[in-house]
Amino acid sequence: MEGKNLLAVDCGNSWYKALSSDDGYYQDYQIPNAISLYDEEFHEKPYDEGDIKFEENLIVELKSHAILDKREIFYIGKAATKKRDVSLTGFNNQKADEDRTYILLFGLAAFHAICKNPEDTEIHYHIDQLAVSLPTTQYKEMKDKFRQRLSGTHTVIFHKVPGVAEPKEITVKLYVEDVIIGAEGACAYLGLTRDQETLGIKDDELVKDSQKGIIIGDLGGDSVDFVGIKNNKPVASVEGETFGINQFLDNIIQKVSKNELYKFDSRAELEEKLAAGQSEWYVEPFAGVKKDISKYIIPQLKSLAIKYLEYFDRVRSSSNEIKGATRYIAVGGAAKLAQKQIQEVAVRWADRGRPIQLTFPEHMEKLNVHGLMILAKMKQLKTEQENENLISSRN
């Protein structure tokens, strides 16, 4: 795979996470799943452009067959979260059908291209293999449509780029040569069991356990996807549920706003605070005044943990293919944020005679994107081998 550019993108309801491999050199990125319409009239010019972080000021225009409206300009990621008309995801959003998916995905891909070519304002970037995922509920019906819309040429124009001469624009042409679609949860299993460099099995014990059955509960922003693994293969009949951490984050934000007079810019701001640990669970509604907000956070995380285990129990009881599963694995950024509370609730379940021994793997929040990169490498190797076989047969 020398000289090849591979890109894996986990299109999460809370965060878009990307992992790139350009000739074997890795970079990772993440931006909140948020967009907002850009209006030139209300754009505030910075006092000092040197203080502006480009990745927090992404203003993009996408020209692509993948979207319906090719004239609008959007803030994406952190820039969007700070706007009044910010658009966040809703329940049961259909990723392959929504323009926001492509605006965020190609915006993130083009940002990576700029990071690789920081001196250029006209960039042509070829993606030899793009790997993205869909929820299990959408995978079967949507994967072909998603692949078609992602393939081909897409132009991303960044506006008001700090440090760039007028008209302060950078144009990136993305050429997506090939696309592979994975199912969320199943990609996490790949990330758990395969080595990213050799692509070989790295966890023989987990593969062995899959003979009896494994359930992976991928907890995200607006959904929890359960994937059953049997004999090292995903069981397609285990479907996702419309449940995630976002509703609990919104409850925390509302309570803090009402009782402590502090308004979070976004769910992303709160999530970053949660990830930093309990020592950071405070806000400053006024300069020098600190308010402990753990009393709003902990009950919500406990409620999330209870519902998460209830869904786990329901799935293991209802699916014939994975009855008798021996391993239950928690993955996803939301599961990591609520890990302590989930473990505490699991102890109480065991005391009541319904044990769910959950495993919390390392880097659980990145397993889907790591699995997607493995998928991209496998597909690229297969393509190269087929080309070699074709050449040798002609000779």
Side-chain angles (χ1 to χ4, degrees):
M1 284 181 280
E2 284 186 24
K4 299 297 183 183
N5 299 333
L6 312 179
L7 182 66
V9 184
D10 178 13
C11 305
N13 285 343
S14 292
W15 297 84
Y16 270 50
K17 295 172 184 165
L19 178 62
S20 65
S21 171
D22 298 285
D23 198 15
Y25 178 72
Y26 293 100
Q27 284 285 110
D28 61 0
Y29 310 89
Q30 69 173 29
I31 61 171
N33 183 338
I35 66 172
S36 174
L37 274 173
Y38 171 79
D39 190 330
E40 175 76 40
E41 184 181 347
F42 296 104
H43 178 70
E44 296 180 14
K45 291 186 178 179
Y47 289 109
D48 185 354
E49 280 203 353
D51 294 335
I52 299 294
K53 291 181 179 178
F54 180 38
E55 61 267 30
E56 296 181 8
N57 194 53
L58 300 178
I59 303 170
V60 304
E61 180 180 359
L62 177 61
K63 298 183 181 299
S64 164
H65 64 269
I67 64 170
L68 298 174
D69 195 336
K70 300 172 177 61
R71 294 168 298 175
E72 296 287 5
I73 302 173
F74 296 91
Y75 293 97
I76 65 170
K78 282 199 172 180
T81 64
K82 297 171 184 175
K83 306 303 172 187
R84 278 188 164 184
D85 67 337
V86 59
S87 169
L88 303 169
T89 55
F91 286 123
N92 200 30
N93 56 312
Q94 301 298 300
K95 293 181 181 179
D97 286 334
E98 296 179 5
D99 282 0
R100 70 180 296 130
T101 301
Y102 305 96
I103 294 162
L104 286 158
L105 194 156
F106 291 130
L108 190 52
F111 174 70
H112 165 62
I114 292 172
C115 292
K116 279 199 69 200
N117 304 274
E119 305 301 319
D120 299 336
T121 55
E122 294 275 345
I123 299 168
H124 294 259
Y125 182 66
H126 288 261
I127 302 172
D128 296 283
Q129 197 65 240
L130 172 64
V132 294
S133 57
L134 282 172
T136 54
T137 47
Q138 300 173 31
Y139 177 74
K140 279 185 181 178
E141 293 183 4
M142 297 288 196
K143 64 178 180 179
D144 291 333
K145 178 194 286 189
F146 204 23
R147 185 183 294 111
Q148 288 168 8
R149 291 175 74 169
L150 290 168
S151 300
T153 304
H154 315 272
T155 302
V156 182
I157 303 166
F158 289 86
H159 297 269
K160 303 297 180 185
V161 180
V164 172
E166 291 292 346
K168 306 189 75 59
E169 293 178 0
I170 297 178
T171 300
V172 180
K173 270 206 164 180
L174 299 169
Y175 303 89
V176 181
E177 310 295 349
D178 199 5
V179 177
I180 186 164
I181 313 291
E184 293 171 8
C187 291
Y189 180 73
L190 266 183
L192 281 167
T193 54
R194 296 269 178 176
D195 184 89
Q196 197 160 275
E197 293 303 323
T198 66
L199 304 182
I201 299 293
K202 68 176 183 181
D203 192 334
D204 293 307
E205 198 65 35
L206 186 56
V207 173
K208 187 179 177 183
D209 285 345
S210 78
Q211 292 173 7
K212 291 184 178 179
I214 294 168
I215 303 175
I216 295 174
D218 183 5
L219 183 59
D222 287 318
S223 66
V224 56
D225 284 284
F226 290 98
V227 176
I229 307 292
K230 197 79 180 279
N231 295 318
N232 207 32
K233 292 180 181 177
V235 180
S237 65
V238 180
E239 298 292 358
E241 297 283 354
T242 306
F243 161 78
I245 197 172
N246 284 346
Q247 58 188 288
F248 299 94
L249 296 177
D250 290 342
N251 288 341
I252 295 167
I253 289 168
Q254 288 166 10
K255 289 176 186 294
V256 171
S257 176
K258 179 182 177 181
N259 298 316
E260 307 298 348
L261 305 179
Y262 179 87
K263 183 75 171 75
F264 283 96
D265 279 340
S266 62
R267 293 170 184 157
E269 183 192 352
L270 175 56
E271 281 191 83
E272 288 176 333
K273 194 172 279 292
L274 295 180
Q278 195 160 349
S279 62
E280 296 298 316
W281 291 2
Y282 64 86
V283 294
E284 293 189 59
F286 312 103
V289 177
K290 287 187 177 183
K291 295 279 191 173
D292 180 6
I293 59 169
S294 59
K295 61 186 175 184
Y296 309 112
I297 293 171
I298 293 170
Q300 291 298 318
L301 293 184
K302 282 183 179 177
S303 297
L304 169 73
I306 291 166
K307 292 285 288 182
Y308 181 52
L309 289 184
E310 285 175 354
Y311 277 121
F312 242 119
D313 189 45
R314 193 180 305 167
V315 167
R316 71 174 176 177
S317 302
S318 63
S319 177
N320 291 326
E321 292 92 337
I322 48 171
K323 273 189 177 170
T326 57
R327 287 281 288 273
Y328 307 106
I329 302 173
V331 303
K336 184 173 183 178
L337 292 177
Q339 179 175 343
K340 181 182 177 184
Q341 287 74 26
I342 295 168
Q343 287 171 318
E344 289 171 354
V345 173
V347 170
R348 295 206 297 273
W349 274 59
D351 292 341
R352 295 204 305 262
R354 294 190 65 80
I356 296 180
Q357 297 296 331
L358 275 178
T359 301
F360 292 85
E362 191 179 7
H363 306 305
M364 70 180 86
E365 76 281 12
K366 294 182 178 180
L367 284 173
N368 270 315
V369 77
H370 286 173
L372 283 167
M373 178 55 73
I374 290 165
L375 264 188
K377 287 188 171 186
M378 287 176 163
K379 182 75 183 298
Q380 187 62 33
L381 275 175
K382 183 182 177 184
T383 301
E384 290 176 8
Q385 287 166 358
E386 286 172 352
N387 290 340
E388 286 174 10
N389 292 339
L390 187 62
I391 292 168
S392 55
S393 65
R394 284 175 178 172
N395 294 336

